[in-house]
């Protein structure tokens, strides 16, 4: 029966739907290309003050990653472990900020900045997309990130793979634009169980987080949930854009891009 099918479809639509907000308010999110970890093309190091200055100079929005140091300072750094970027084989969460700030990024003179330092530098010259990394104390990280961003006068949004981080913002700081991150869940999701990957990949916790926009991996854009949300005019941003072909494909099917290695 048709009525059962109708109930299933409407339940599915309810589960994946977000919360629409005024287009003006989030116009930058669909109009200004977003530099992944800053504009780190060439000899510039990702998530560094130089990469952020570079993005400002070119007028791109900035995507950056935040996480806690051992003493709960919010630092801008992508990996859990420091090895790839600093040759130090410890996790960020196990090192106090006083020590972190003296590590050099990829042998350059650049060091790991704090979120406070970055927003002082950016000062609303371009918008910022803050990715809150998932961790054991993810909700505490969400709270503390908001404490820092609350007085920031610039344009910004938060994004996370963890829907419960977005749910915290929905319940406690609903004025902040929320972007649900997702993708094929093939890389970086090794610790997740198969059903967790399924739920996240198909945006089945959107009813909790009620995102205002979706940032989805380019390779997975044929996902049914993403297609349905696009049809319903939710802003879709694609990530994993690394060359001209990616960019062309992304702009054909999504509203904006989070890019690396190119200059849109």
């Amino acid at each position: 029966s048709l009525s059962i099918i109708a109930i299933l479809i409407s339940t599915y639509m309810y589960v994946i739907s977000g919360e629409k907000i005024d287009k003006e308010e989030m116009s930058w999110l669909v109009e200004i290309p977003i530099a992944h970890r800053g504009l780190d093309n060439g000899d510039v190091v990702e998530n560094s003050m130089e990469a952020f200055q570079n993005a400002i100079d070119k007028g791109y929005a900035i995507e950056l990653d935040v996480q806690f140091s051992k003493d709960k300072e919010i630092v801008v750094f992508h990996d859990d472990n420091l090895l790839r970027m600093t040759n130090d084989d410890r996790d960020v969460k196990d090192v106090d900020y006083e020590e972190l700030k003296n590590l050099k990024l990829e042998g350059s003179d650049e060091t790991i900045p704090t979120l406070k330092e970055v927003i002082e530098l950016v000062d609303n010259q371009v918008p910022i997309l803050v990715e809150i990394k998932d961790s054991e104390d993810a909700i505490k990280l969400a709270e503390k990130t908001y404490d820092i961003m609350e007085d920031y006068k610039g344009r910004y949004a938060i994004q996370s793979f963890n829907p419960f981080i977005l749910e915290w913002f929905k319940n406690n700081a609903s004025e902040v634009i929320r972007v649900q991150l997702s993708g094929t869940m093939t890389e970086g999701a090794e610790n997740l169980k198969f059903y967790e990957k399924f739920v996240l990949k198909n945006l089945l916790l959107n009813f909790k987080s009620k995102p205002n926009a979706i940032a989805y991996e380019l390779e997975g854009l044929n996902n049914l949930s993403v297609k349905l949300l696009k049809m319903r005019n939710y802003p879709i941003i694609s990530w994993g854009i690394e060359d001209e072909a990616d960019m062309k494909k992304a702009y054909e099917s999504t509203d904006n891009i989070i890019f690396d290695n190119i200059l849109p």
Side-chain angles (χ1 to χ4, degrees):
S1 171
L2 284 174
S3 59
I4 292 174
I5 292 168
I7 289 166
L8 288 173
I9 290 170
S10 63
T11 304
Y12 174 46
M13 288 311 299
Y14 166 77
V15 165
I16 66 168
S17 288
E19 186 172 85
K20 289 187 179 171
I21 55 173
D22 182 50
K23 279 212 163 73
E24 272 304 292
E25 208 178 316
M26 59 192 300
S27 58
W28 67 265
L29 202 52
V30 295
E31 289 168 4
I32 304 175
I34 303 164
H36 190 228
R37 305 179 199 168
L39 193 58
D40 55 344
N41 300 16
D43 302 326
V44 181
V45 183
E46 69 176 52
N47 273 330
S48 67
M49 294 297 260
E50 188 183 5
F52 301 137
Q53 185 60 59
N54 214 5
I56 293 166
D57 293 344
K58 296 272 198 302
Y60 295 122
I62 289 167
E63 186 268 356
L64 54 80
D65 308 277
V66 296
Q67 55 180 305
F68 274 140
S69 63
K70 186 180 180 183
D71 52 351
K72 299 293 185 263
E73 180 70 56
I74 295 188
V75 294
V76 176
F77 195 81
H78 176 269
D79 300 2
D80 293 336
N81 187 277
L82 290 158
L83 187 64
R84 178 178 69 93
M85 294 301 295
T86 71
N87 260 341
D88 184 318
D89 195 9
R90 289 178 291 173
D91 284 351
V92 177
K93 66 178 170 54
D94 297 329
V95 186
D96 282 336
Y97 175 63
E98 278 307 305
E99 214 180 328
L100 282 176
K101 73 175 187 188
N102 293 315
L103 297 174
K104 296 284 192 270
L105 295 171
E106 287 190 337
S108 69
D109 289 332
E110 293 290 312
T111 53
I112 298 171
T114 63
L115 178 58
K116 286 176 187 156
E117 288 169 339
V118 175
I119 62 174
E120 274 173 29
L121 172 76
V122 177
D123 194 25
N124 199 27
Q125 297 174 82
V126 295
I128 306 173
L129 182 55
V130 180
E131 179 178 340
I132 301 179
K133 304 296 287 179
D134 191 23
S135 62
E136 285 160 23
D137 43 13
I139 300 305
K140 190 92 207 118
L141 179 59
E143 287 173 25
K144 199 131 189 233
T145 300
Y146 181 60
D147 287 345
I148 292 171
M149 299 303 295
E150 190 177 4
D151 297 328
Y152 181 60
K153 297 291 182 270
R155 296 157 293 169
Y156 79 96
I158 58 108
Q159 68 171 6
S160 185
F161 282 99
N162 181 341
F164 299 107
I165 287 175
L166 297 199
E167 186 187 27
W168 183 89
F169 275 89
K170 180 193 75 169
N171 294 336
N172 299 281
S174 58
E175 79 280 5
V176 179
I177 299 167
R178 303 182 297 280
V179 182
Q180 182 63 60
L181 258 175
S182 191
T184 57
M185 296 292 158
T186 43
E187 257 177 71
E190 292 79 15
N191 301 333
L192 294 176
K193 298 178 176 69
F194 77 92
Y195 59 85
E196 291 173 322
K197 289 182 189 177
F198 179 82
V199 165
L200 293 173
K201 185 163 75 174
N202 293 295
L203 305 170
L204 299 178
L205 284 170
N206 278 7
F207 72 99
K208 299 284 283 179
S209 56
K210 288 289 174 198
N212 311 122
I214 306 296
Y216 211 88
E217 187 179 4
L218 180 68
E219 281 182 22
L221 284 178
N222 60 356
N223 178 283
L224 179 62
S225 298
V226 178
K227 286 179 166 175
L228 288 171
L229 289 172
K230 176 148 181 61
M231 279 166 58
R232 297 189 72 177
N233 289 322
Y234 284 94
I236 312 288
I237 302 158
S238 41
W239 58 269
I241 313 303
E242 295 184 354
D243 57 34
E244 298 290 330
D246 285 350
M247 185 164 71
K248 185 173 183 296
K249 183 178 164 189
Y251 275 130
E252 279 166 7
S253 48
T254 62
D255 300 291
N256 197 8
I257 60 172
I258 299 172
F259 68 90
D260 289 279
N261 310 326
I262 51 173
L263 290 177

